[in-house]
Amino acid sequence: MPIKEKSKPAKRDRVTIRTVAAHAGVSVAAVSKVMRNAYGVSENLRAKVTGSIEELGYRPSRTARGLRGRTFTIGLLLVDIRNPFLPEVIDGVNGVLAPSHYQAMIGVGEGRMQLETSLIESMIDYKMDGLILVAPRLPTEIIAEFAAQVPIVAVGYHDPKAKTFDTVNTDDQRGAEIAVEALLKCGYRDIEMLSLGAREGHKVSVVRQREIGYRRAMLRAGLGSSAPISHIPVHSPKREEAMRVFLARSDRPRGVFCWSDLDAITLLSAAAEMGVRIPEDLAVVGYDNSTTAALSLVNLASIDQSGRELGEAATRTLLSRIEGRSDPEHLLLMPSLVNRKSLI
């Protein structure tokens, strides 16, 4: 008796953008507009096209897109994945990209210029449509060279004179002023700032901007001659040891403004180990209002710069640059204080 061969499943024809257009009853140009989240797309058109894409299981060929000059990918370069503030930025980026069918590809530069340069070059080689650089260490002239090849938005990079790329920042100087003003309002005048090591920042970085704001607020309060800044090493174990030395000082201040929640939370941990009461012995204000700062066991007063809003604003700015805008934009968002038990 002959063996009956199993029937092969019917081969499914490849779904193309034209297939989607025909299924939705719209033009190919309309589908393309929806996919790149172009301005002026109606909700009705978006719903039609999105429904057809989902029903047909359409997956655009990134190779073909690259050959046509558009891959619908965004490069997102982060300075350090360990910072609890950055997931909020990523959420903001993805929230704006979701309806546009763009996707973000993440690289981590680890605060090293050579690695940042290599990652940006790779993103350009993969024909990504634009890049969002979060707190890059590269000098303006290098970023400008890359921006001549691909649209770029820099976040946490204060260079309002940049012409070939855009910047989106919180007003870090004002944020530091708010932190000092909050400490002063609580009656503390013996205030110090914990900042990064002097070699770790550059003049356009957030840390140096926060130092400027701290000094300005102290000067305005008549404390300019006693506005000390302690520079903490970046890497363990020197970082933790420097904080213990700070806490053990006989001339330790009554209030401290930390340039980031990263250091503020580490300082709170060291203080608990050493029996330094917060805020009775030392009032602490951080910066970023990270999710960790809000935990009841941490309860850190912190400057909120809304990472989600930064990510959203940076992504919208980049998409408009990709669509052809050439005039530079430099957005500055306003920070605010979230008061918690480390201050009051």
Side-chain angles (χ1 to χ4, degrees):
M1 185 174 180
I3 298 174
K4 194 173 182 180
E5 291 185 3
K6 291 182 180 179
S7 59
K8 294 181 180 179
K11 185 178 180 181
R12 183 177 178 180
D13 292 335
R14 181 174 175 272
V15 178
T16 68
I17 192 171
R18 294 184 183 279
T19 315
V20 173
H23 187 274
V26 300
S27 67
V28 171
V31 176
S32 178
K33 276 188 172 184
V34 171
M35 292 183 64
R36 68 177 190 269
N37 201 26
Y39 178 77
V41 173
S42 69
E43 287 306 313
N44 183 50
L45 175 59
R46 188 184 305 282
K48 272 186 180 179
V49 172
T50 302
S52 293
I53 287 172
E54 291 176 354
E55 187 173 338
L56 296 171
Y58 174 55
R59 289 186 64 209
S61 165
R62 298 208 179 274
T63 303
R65 282 170 148 185
L67 292 173
R68 291 195 299 269
R70 199 63 84 83
T71 63
F72 288 85
T73 54
I74 298 298
L76 179 57
L77 182 64
L78 306 177
V79 63
D80 184 356
I81 199 65
R82 293 167 295 185
N83 191 326
F85 166 72
L86 293 177
E88 291 292 315
V89 177
I90 296 170
D91 284 347
V93 172
N94 286 335
V96 173
L97 292 183
S100 70
H101 294 277
Y102 276 92
Q103 290 184 328
M105 304 295 180
I106 296 175
V108 182
E110 298 177 3
R112 293 189 285 144
M113 289 178 58
Q114 186 174 356
L115 180 55
E116 284 185 358
T117 301
S118 176
L119 286 169
I120 292 172
E121 289 172 343
S122 295
M123 289 173 175
I124 292 173
D125 289 344
Y126 278 106
K127 299 187 182 298
M128 293 188 179
D129 296 324
L131 309 180
I132 297 174
L133 313 180
V134 181
R137 295 296 180 89
L138 298 174
T140 293
E141 55 269 23
I142 299 298
I143 296 178
E145 289 178 11
F146 286 128
Q149 304 173 62
V150 64
I152 288 178
V153 175
V155 178
Y157 195 89
H158 290 265
D159 187 1
K161 294 181 180 179
K163 292 183 171 59
T164 59
F165 61 92
D166 305 312
T167 62
V168 175
N169 295 289
T170 298
D171 189 338
D172 286 290
Q173 291 187 25
R174 181 59 194 143
E177 289 179 339
I178 292 171
V180 173
E181 289 165 3
L183 287 161
L184 290 168
K185 187 176 180 181
C186 289
Y188 307 113
R189 294 182 65 79
D190 183 10
I191 302 168
E192 194 162 330
M193 179 179 179
L194 285 191
S195 187
L196 277 183
R199 295 184 179 180
E200 293 300 328
H202 42 80
K203 63 181 180 180
V204 298
S205 68
V206 297
V207 63
R208 299 300 165 232
Q209 293 295 305
R210 292 169 193 175
E211 288 179 357
I212 291 170
Y214 160 76
R215 288 194 176 100
R216 181 186 298 150
M218 293 291 281
L219 183 64
R220 193 162 54 234
L223 303 170
S225 60
S226 58
I229 297 178
S230 289
H231 293 101
I232 302 295
V234 174
H235 303 293
S236 298
K238 290 183 178 180
R239 175 170 170 261
E240 291 78 10
E241 180 56 31
M243 290 189 185
R244 291 188 182 93
V245 169
F246 169 83
L247 290 169
R249 277 170 34 189
S250 59
D251 63 342
R252 185 185 65 220
R254 275 293 289 116
V256 62
F257 163 51
C258 294
W259 81 277
S260 166
D261 284 359
L262 275 174
D263 280 353
I265 291 168
T266 303
L267 185 68
L268 293 183
S269 177
E273 291 175 7
M274 297 174 64
V276 177
R277 299 172 303 165
I278 307 293
E280 293 85 356
D281 300 325
L282 179 67
V284 182
V285 179
Y287 205 113
D288 287 338
N289 191 33
S290 59
T291 53
T292 308
L295 295 175
S296 59
L297 290 177
V298 179
N299 240 317
L300 172 68
S302 186
I303 301 299
D304 184 9
Q305 60 171 333
S306 185
R308 182 180 291 272
E309 285 186 29
L310 280 172
E312 291 171 348
T315 308
R316 287 193 293 266
T317 302
L318 182 63
L319 291 176
S320 71
R321 174 75 82 162
I322 291 171
E323 291 300 319
R325 174 181 53 80
S326 57
D327 293 334
E329 288 189 356
H330 300 289
L331 306 183
L332 207 57
L333 309 183
M334 287 298 109
S336 60
L337 173 72
V338 178
N339 211 339
R340 298 192 180 95
K341 289 183 179 179
S342 69
L343 178 60
I344 53 173

